[in-house]
Structure formats: C-alpha cells, structure tokens
Amino acid sequence: MAFTRDPGAFFGVLRNDRMLGPDLSQSEVNGLNAITTAAAGWPIAWTAYLLGTAYKETAHTMLPIAEYGGDAYFFRRYDMHGNNPPLAQRLGNTQPGDGARFKGRGYVQLTGRANYARASRELGHDFVARPDDAMIPLWAAKIARLGMAEGWFTSKRLGDYLPHGIGAFSQFSQARRIINGMDCAAEIAGYAATFQRALQAGGWA
C-alpha cells in the first residue's frame, strides 16, 4: 500500500479494532487504495473521515454501492412526476426517467442530475452520459473527495468541522453534517477515529 510508509502498521490497527477481517479481500484493498489515492495530500483528519464515511456507507466493503430500489421506487422518490416534485427540482431531475437514471451511487451516494453534472464539470468526465461510472472506485473516491471538501451535498464542508491536524471525536461527529445531518454521526466518528489511528501508525504523509 503506497499511501503509508508502514502498511503493516496501518492494517494492524484496523485488524485489532476488528474493522477488517484477518484476511483482506481484494475488494477491500482496491477500495482503500482508491480512497487514499484520491485523498493524497489531504490532512490526516480529513482522510480518516472520508475512510470512516465510506466504511459506513458501503456496509464495510469499501466498494462503491448503488442505492437500493427499482425504477418504480426511484420514480416515486426522485422523478419530477413522482411523489416529491420539489425534491426532484432541487436535484435537477427535469427529464422523465431522471429519478432512476441519477439514483444514489458511489461512496457518498451522488444523487440527481444536477450533482452528476457538477461532478462531470469538476472532474472532466461525463457522468451524465455514463452515470454508472460513479461506481468505479477511483471515480467514486474523487467525487467523495471533492464533494466533501466543497460542500456539494448539504453546503457544509470538511473544513467547517475538521482541523488540518489530528481530529477529535466531537469534531468527527459534527462532520456528519457534510453528508446527512447527524444520522449515525457517533458511529461514523468512531470509525474515523480508528482510521486516524491507523493512518498515524502507518505514517500518513
């Protein structure tokens, strides 16, 4: 693992805290590589919080996931002619079928035509034409990095809550506002604190 000077120490902390099994799967390694590659140059607290968020949002697999549900569900939830037109409008879902086409994907559940268009502009890749590309680990990690740093999801940003050095549990907890209010805030803060210890042990630069 190129993102730390001592990968063994990094994984040792995660294993001791039972966050990863004794035998890492290739998918876990791929996910960790994608996220830490995207986070290169970031402060340790920011990187730890990104890892903790991904760990929670992907049900501990460290691989991007798609929002559960069928076309009818996404029509009701996100389409302009569904059950919540104001939400559809906020998401930029102006065309029939946008609800299903631009469902949540990735490490932070990128959702809505407007957000896919923003990711396309900022990353130079057409996610509007190819929304499933938001499931590719490295793209998903880049989306998460930019979105969390720039406040794409709730207008709150990592810099609003986390220092450029070591983060405290209370700061990690408040940082949940970047993604989804305070839902599961303490749980994710615990994961972030563990990843921070692992990054410290591994020599995150």
Side-chain angles (χ1 to χ4, degrees), residues 71-83:
D71 286 354
Y73 168 79
F74 294 122
F75 173 84
R76 292 192 302 272
R77 186 168 189 186
Y78 300 132
D79 204 85
M80 62 180 180
H81 297 302
N83 293 348

Side-chain angles (χ1 to χ4, degrees), residues 96-147:
D98 278 357
R101 181 171 179 81
F102 300 110
K103 65 185 178 182
R105 293 180 178 88
Y107 287 118
V108 289
Q109 296 294 282
L110 185 73
T111 307
R113 176 181 285 273
N115 284 323
Y116 279 78
R118 183 171 186 176
S120 299
R121 291 192 303 272
E122 299 213 22
L123 290 172
H125 183 83
D126 195 349
F127 295 103
V128 174
R130 297 185 292 277
D132 282 331
D133 284 3
M135 293 288 290
I136 297 171
L138 188 54
W139 283 125
K142 288 180 177 181
I143 289 168
R145 174 187 168 129
L146 276 178

